Amino acid sequence: MKVPGLKLICLAFLFIHTRILVCYGAPDNAVDDYTDETPAKPPPPEMDNCNGVFLSYTFTSRTKALPLLKNVSAQPWTFNAMATVVNSGTEEVKGWKMYIGFQHKEILVSATNAVLVDGGGDFPAAVGNGTTLAGYPKADLKTSIDTAGDFNQIAVQVELKGSMFGLDEKATPMPRTISLKNDGWRCPTPTKYKTYMHACCKRDPKFKVNSNKKSKFAARQNGDLTFTYDVVKSYEGSYEAQVTMDNSSPIGRLDRWNLTWEWMRGEFIYSMKGAYTPRFDTSDCVYGLAGRYLTGFDFSNVMNCEKKPTITDLPLNKANDTQIGKIPYCCKNASLLPPQMDPSRARAIFQLRVYKLPPDTPPTILYPPQRWNITGVLNARYHCGPPIRVDPSEFPNPKGFDAKVYAIASWQVVCNMTRPEKRKTRCCVSFSAYYSDGAIPCSTCACGCDNIDTDKCNPDKPAMHLPPDALLLPSENRTAKTKAFAKLKKKGIPRKLPCPDNCGVSINWHINTDHKAGWSARMTLFNWQEAPFVDWFVAVEMKKAYPDYDNVFSFNGTKKLKGIKNTIFFQSLKDLNYLVEMKNGSKPSDPKVPGKQQSVISFTKKKTPNIKIRKGDGFPSKVYFNGEECALPRSFPSSGHRSPLSITSFILISITTTFLLITNRFI
């Protein structure tokens, strides 16, 4: 279906593109490849016939930047480009998001009319693996029909400035691809020219909208973690908002969470209930725009004036505090659990009073903060999208009437768990078996080597196999046993031993038995940190063995995880919910002793009669501890001579001590 008047708009749009190429011509010292003035081409047919969302990326110029180097791959270049999004269809695009597949080690320094969705959204940002832009302050693109062809309402142009590396003077510095990242849209491979590419994205006919309700705002989305930012009261120069955080993932969790966002228009937090900012700082107000515009304002009672504040939950003892507490779902020591563990602890709520600056002082002018990010102590990492305007939230009437109260304005932020990057996990798994006398640890530097002296160890060497009792020792105390075990097995010992994994939590998965009717494993948790884990859980993906999971004896276990396949969920028994912290040894010279918990897990072979335990079917393909995906070994134990004292014996002896420590907490 063609939109009336679209061809005229498209011609005007092409004219703008041509003007950009001329006006942003390269300076004298730029590469000649991008300074030729070529005759204007007719509009591409795809643009004229695009009934959807038209995307384009135009490279305008690049210049060598200091330092000037002979090494071409290390030479930095500054570049300018223009990304454009045009709604050329009949449906409004709410909360547009455009992906640009950068591929030349680009560092983006600025972007007009948009914010970065990836990596917290701060500039400068390394975007060499691609990045997603979201509209700000104009997040929605209306249709030509509803705006009488007003180009300013149906399109947005984003000027990009940044640096790039690894190019010679004749290379074409274009992205790999461009696409629309909004749910329910499909984009073809873009049509590419030397300094320009474009694509027409269309609605996916198979996409199902969450709600059939017609609304002028976007439908609410699902995610692992969602935030709702509700403005509940608005005044001249300020407003009151409520933030609701919901954990929807069965394996997601946050401990001691810290939430950050960025004020884009000079706002500041006057006060909060249900949460607080660890930094009470008014200097940015006194010496900034707020101090200039709000003359005579008393900033002494202001909570925080940072452009990017950090917010966290109140402790449990503040739940009934009438001044800063008394908010439903608040004050849980910044802990957010999966809903199947405790639905009441899968949500957090806090409220805040926000002051605005001119020209945003009228009660009807409201902007949410941008660039949301949340972190935990040893939890999954989350990638958060931009705030999307949604229908106003409903609240029960506080006076008890049978009526609903609606927010003045509401936005939703959707966050999803991401896999940890290589050497950035915080827990690791070792494999062992009754038919093998050694343990296979996770990789060297699995949790990073940034804080250790790599002159004394090799961060690139594969991890050495360990004797059973070495699993009970801190990494710095394993050297002698590891060397002795290697000599016993007649394996080479490198001059520089591999570096340790440096993980705060480790898990041993041990194949305990294997017989005709079934088999069993023993899972042991080790806490190498100086703080306990309360209400811990472990989620284990078993691709082959999952159907025949039978029972767990010292933990609680379930296979009923919504939306998660082949995964068994384990958590502590009641009153044994502490994975205690690492303790000192009985003597000052003894190594430290980790906190430990352990259980046997049984499986049958009714549905998996051909399972091959020794080939790896009895080992997990993924392990999550408190939502954090752990690093796994690169191989499985092989058959060999079994030691007189097996790994099970060593760990079982140590678990007895740990059980007594846990029990003493409740005596």
Side-chain angles (χ1 to χ4, degrees):
M1 174 181 175
K2 292 186 179 181
V3 180
L6 179 59
K7 189 161 186 175
L8 292 175
I9 295 170
C10 294
L11 288 169
F13 171 69
L14 183 69
F15 175 74
I16 291 172
H17 262 289
T18 307
R19 296 289 295 172
I20 290 169
L21 288 169
V22 175
C23 296
Y24 285 83
D28 294 338
N29 58 344
V31 181
D32 290 341
D33 285 358
Y34 307 110
T35 57
D36 347 341
E37 294 187 11
T38 54
K41 296 180 180 179
E46 293 87 351
M47 183 175 179
D48 192 22
N49 298 322
C50 181
N51 183 359
V53 176
F54 188 86
L55 305 178
S56 70
Y57 179 93
T58 305
F59 180 86
T60 55
S61 67
R62 70 171 172 140
T63 310
K64 277 187 178 180
L66 296 174
L68 301 178
L69 304 173
K70 293 182 179 179
N71 183 354
V72 174
S73 63
Q75 175 62 50
W77 298 77
T78 62
F79 75 93
N80 294 276
M82 179 78 76
T84 306
V85 186
V86 183
N87 183 6
S88 56
T90 58
E91 177 185 354
E92 183 176 355
V93 180
K94 301 177 187 295
W96 68 264
K97 290 181 287 186
M98 178 181 180
Y99 174 78
I100 303 176
F102 290 114
Q103 57 180 335
H104 300 295
K105 302 178 183 177
E106 289 90 345
I107 296 174
L108 206 56
V109 174
S110 67
T112 63
N113 301 318
V115 292
L116 285 176
V117 174
D118 309 297
D122 290 330
F123 291 110
V127 296
N129 292 324
T131 192
T132 301
L133 300 170
Y136 182 84
K138 184 172 67 176
D140 303 335
L141 299 178
K142 297 184 181 299
T143 68
S144 177
I145 298 170
D146 293 336
T147 61
D150 186 349
F151 189 79
N152 290 326
Q153 296 188 61
I154 70 171
V156 64
Q157 291 182 314
V158 182
E159 294 182 33
L160 304 169
K161 294 183 180 181
S163 302
M164 57 176 60
F165 298 84
L167 297 163
D168 60 33
E169 295 190 352
K170 294 184 179 180
T172 303
M174 290 290 286
R176 189 173 58 258
T177 187
I178 54 175
S179 62
L180 189 70
K181 297 299 288 184
N182 295 57
D183 292 339
W185 291 85
R186 291 194 303 186
C187 300
T189 301
T191 302
K192 299 179 182 179
Y193 301 97
K194 190 171 185 179
T195 59
Y196 172 71
M197 66 170 62
H198 63 80
C200 178
C201 304
K202 297 184 178 181
R203 264 293 185 189
D204 183 353
K206 296 180 180 179
F207 180 76
K208 295 181 180 180
V209 181
N210 290 341
S211 174
N212 293 323
K213 178 183 174 183
K214 291 185 178 181
S215 169
K216 66 176 184 176
F217 303 116
R220 295 183 185 241
Q221 303 295 312
N222 297 321
D224 294 328
L225 182 71
T226 58
F227 294 91
T228 306
Y229 190 84
D230 295 307
V231 175
V232 292
K233 295 180 181 179
S234 187
Y235 314 99
E236 183 72 21
S238 68
Y239 66 83
E240 294 179 22
Q242 177 169 293
V243 178
T244 304
M245 183 191 321
D246 285 303
N247 179 20
S248 302
S249 171
I251 58 172
R253 176 193 176 115
L254 285 163
D255 293 286
R256 285 181 275 167
W257 55 261
N258 283 317
L259 170 66
T260 60
W261 60 48
E262 186 169 344
W263 298 114
M264 306 298 287
R265 307 178 71 85
E267 301 97 328
F268 60 89
I269 300 173
Y270 183 82
S271 61
M272 299 185 78
K273 294 188 72 175
Y276 72 104
T277 59
R279 185 183 177 96
F280 281 56
D281 187 359
T282 60
S283 58
D284 287 350
C285 284
V286 174
Y287 297 108
L289 292 175
R292 187 186 311 169
Y293 285 115
L294 303 180
T295 56
F297 190 89
D298 182 7
F299 291 103
S300 61
N301 294 321
V302 172
M303 174 175 280
N304 186 280
C305 291
E306 292 177 293
K307 181 178 176 65
K308 195 171 183 179
T310 297
I311 300 166
T312 193
D313 193 16
L314 288 171
L316 186 61
N317 59 10
K318 296 294 183 181
N320 294 318
D321 189 301
T322 55
Q323 292 186 329
I324 60 174
K326 285 287 185 182
I327 299 293
Y329 299 101
C330 88
C331 316
K332 302 185 184 72
N333 295 319
S335 177
L336 206 65
L337 300 182
Q340 76 267 16
M341 287 184 73
D342 187 345
S344 68
R345 296 176 64 186
R347 166 175 282 192
I349 292 178
F350 62 88
Q351 298 173 349
L352 65 160
R353 177 78 177 264
V354 178
Y355 272 79
K356 306 179 292 182
L357 300 182
D360 298 341
T361 51
T364 54
I365 299 180
L366 300 167
Y367 292 96
Q370 298 287 323
R371 298 172 181 168
W372 292 55
N373 188 41
I374 191 163
T375 59
V377 175
L378 200 154
N379 308 117
R381 284 116 172 133
Y382 289 87
H383 173 263
C384 298
I388 302 297
R389 186 78 180 268
V390 294
D391 284 333
S393 299
E394 297 179 357
F395 302 100
N397 191 298
K399 296 181 179 179
F401 297 129
D402 185 16
K404 296 288 185 181
V405 176
Y406 291 87
I408 295 171
S410 298
W411 290 265
Q412 186 192 42
V413 176
V414 178
C415 306
N416 288 306
M417 297 164 60
T418 63
R419 297 193 68 174
E421 297 175 18
K422 186 178 180 181
R423 293 187 174 183
K424 287 189 178 181
T425 186
R426 288 168 287 190
C427 64
C428 73
V429 177
S430 61
F431 289 161
S432 58
Y434 72 90
Y435 50 80
S436 180
D437 56 2
I440 302 178
C442 64
S443 304
T444 301
C445 298
C447 299
C449 280
D450 297 337
N451 299 323
I452 65 171
D453 185 2
T454 53
D455 290 336
K456 297 180 180 179
C457 64
N458 192 331
D460 300 316
K461 277 283 183 184
M464 297 176 67
H465 290 194
L466 301 174
D469 53 338
L471 290 175
L472 307 175
L473 298 174
S475 57
E476 61 269 20
N477 298 103
R478 294 178 180 176
T479 304
K481 288 183 178 292
T482 303
K483 286 183 174 181
F485 186 72
K487 288 180 180 178
L488 180 66
K489 297 299 174 185
K490 298 180 181 181
K491 294 183 178 180
I493 302 174
R495 186 177 59 84
K496 281 177 66 176
L497 294 178
C499 294
D501 57 65
N502 300 309
C503 298
V505 169
S506 59
I507 298 172
N508 174 251
W509 183 272
H510 177 76
I511 301 298
N512 203 38
T513 62
D514 184 19
H515 48 86
K516 186 176 181 180
W519 61 281
S520 67
R522 188 184 300 274
M523 184 170 67
T524 309
L525 283 62
F526 299 90
N527 181 8
W528 300 102
Q529 300 195 125
E530 296 181 353
F533 289 96
V534 187
D535 298 319
W536 58 267
F537 72 84
V538 176
V540 179
E541 182 186 82
M542 303 291 295
K543 287 187 176 179
K544 296 288 182 68
Y546 172 81
D548 274 329
Y549 164 69
D550 181 42
N551 200 1
V552 62
F553 298 95
S554 300
F555 304 152
N556 284 321
T558 181
K559 294 199 299 184
K560 297 177 181 178
L561 293 182
K562 185 179 179 181
I564 305 293
K565 294 182 179 179
N566 303 324
T567 301
I568 310 167
F569 187 91
F570 301 105
Q571 66 183 97
S572 58
L573 295 173
K574 185 179 180 181
D575 295 336
L576 294 175
N577 57 333
Y578 277 84
L579 178 57
V580 298
E581 63 275 20
M582 184 167 58
K583 303 285 187 181
N584 290 325
S586 55
K587 298 178 183 177
S589 58
D590 289 344
K592 291 189 174 182
V593 179
K596 298 175 284 291
Q597 285 209 40
Q598 182 187 78
S599 182
V600 172
I601 305 161
S602 64
F603 296 82
T604 67
K605 292 185 178 180
K606 294 178 181 178
K607 298 178 181 178
T608 56
N610 298 319
I611 191 168
K612 295 177 175 60
I613 300 299
R614 297 193 183 205
K615 296 293 185 181
D617 292 350
F619 293 94
S621 51
K622 288 183 182 179
V623 176
Y624 299 86
F625 176 81
N626 281 3
E628 170 82 356
E629 185 173 348
C630 304
L632 299 181
R634 296 177 180 175
S635 60
F636 303 113
S638 58
S639 299
H641 178 69
R642 184 182 175 190
S643 298
L645 188 56
S646 69
I647 188 171
T648 304
S649 304
F650 275 109
I651 298 177
L652 191 57
I653 292 169
S654 68
I655 289 300
T656 305
T657 307
T658 304
F659 180 79
L660 293 174
L661 287 171
I662 298 171
T663 306
N664 287 340
R665 282 184 179 269
F666 304 99
I667 295 178

